[in-house]
C-alpha cells in the first residue's frame, strides 16, 4: 500500500508541475537565480561576516558573557538575521547591542528584498505568458 501511495504522489506532482502557475513560478525562479538572488545571498554572507567579526572583537571575555567565541558570534548573528533570536546567546555590552540591532534591521531588509524581487519576476513571467 505504501508503494501505491508513493506512485499516486508522483502522479499528482507531475500533474501539478504541468499547470501554468507552477510553470510560471519555475521560469521566474530560473531567471532570478542567475543574478539577483545571488546578490542577496552575498549580502547575507557579508552581514554575517561583518556582524560576527565585530561581536567577537567587541564582547568582553568575562565569565558572565554569553558570546565567548567566534562561533557563538556567528550563531548569534544568524539567529538575529533570521529574526528568530532564541535568547541563549546575547550581547552584554552597549556596542554589542548596537551591532545586534543593526544585524536585526539588516535581517528584516534581507528577508524583504528577495520577496519583492521574486514577486516582480513572477509578475513579469505572468505578463509574458499572458501576451504570448
Amino acid at each position: 500500500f505504501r508503494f501505491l501511495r508513493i506512485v499516486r504522489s508522483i502522479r499528482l506532482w507531475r500533474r501539478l508541475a504541468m499547470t501554468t502557475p507552477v510553470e510560471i513560478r519555475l521560469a521566474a525562479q530560473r531567471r532570478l537565480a542567475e543574478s539577483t538572488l545571488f546578490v542577496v545571498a552575498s549580502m547575507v554572507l557579508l552581514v554575517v561576516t561583518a556582524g560576527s567579526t565585530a561581536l567577537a572583537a567587541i564582547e568582553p571575555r568575562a565569565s558572565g558573557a554569553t558570546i565567548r567565541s567566534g562561533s557563538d558570534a556567528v550563531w548569534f548573528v544568524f539567529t538575529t538575521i533570521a529574526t528568530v533570536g532564541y535568547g541563549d546567546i546575547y550581547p552584554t555590552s552597549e556596542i554589542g547591542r548596537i551591532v545586534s540591532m543593526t544585524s536585526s534591521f539588516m535581517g528584516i531588509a534581507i528577508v524583504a528584498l528577495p520577496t519583492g524581487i521574486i514577486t516582480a519576476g513572477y509578475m513579469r513571467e505572468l505578463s509574458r505568458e499572458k501576451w504570448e
Side-chain angles (χ1 to χ4, degrees):
F1 290 113
R2 224 179 242 179
F3 178 72
L4 291 175
R5 276 189 255 162
I6 292 172
V7 171
R8 278 180 158 172
S9 299
I10 292 172
R11 280 190 204 161
L12 178 66
W13 176 251
R14 280 186 172 172
R15 284 188 184 164
L16 288 175
M18 298 302 168
T19 60
T20 304
V22 173
E23 289 173 357
I24 292 171
R25 186 180 60 85
L26 290 175
Q29 257 183 318
R30 275 187 228 112
R31 288 183 196 274
L32 292 173
E34 295 171 359
S35 60
T36 313
L37 294 179
F38 176 75
V39 171
V40 173
S42 299
M43 285 174 40
V44 169
L45 288 176
L46 179 69
V47 169
V48 167
T49 303
S52 60
T53 302
L55 278 177
I58 291 170
E59 282 299 301
R61 303 282 187 248
S63 61
T66 60
I67 299 175
R68 295 188 181 123
S69 65
S71 61
D72 287 344
V74 170
W75 169 254
F76 176 75
V77 173
F78 262 121
T79 57
T80 305
I81 284 177
T83 65
V84 176
Y86 292 117
D88 55 346
I89 298 175
Y90 52 89
T92 55
S93 68
E94 293 297 320
I95 298 174
R97 290 180 184 145
I98 290 170
V99 170
S100 69
M101 286 187 289
T102 305
S103 66
S104 178
F105 284 126
M106 292 299 290
I108 293 168
I110 288 171
V111 168
L113 186 63
T115 304
I117 292 169
I118 290 169
T119 303
Y122 183 78
M123 295 305 291
R124 193 175 317 125
E125 288 295 323
L126 188 61
S127 67
R128 196 176 286 162
E129 184 76 23
K130 184 178 179 180
W131 294 110
E132 286 182 0

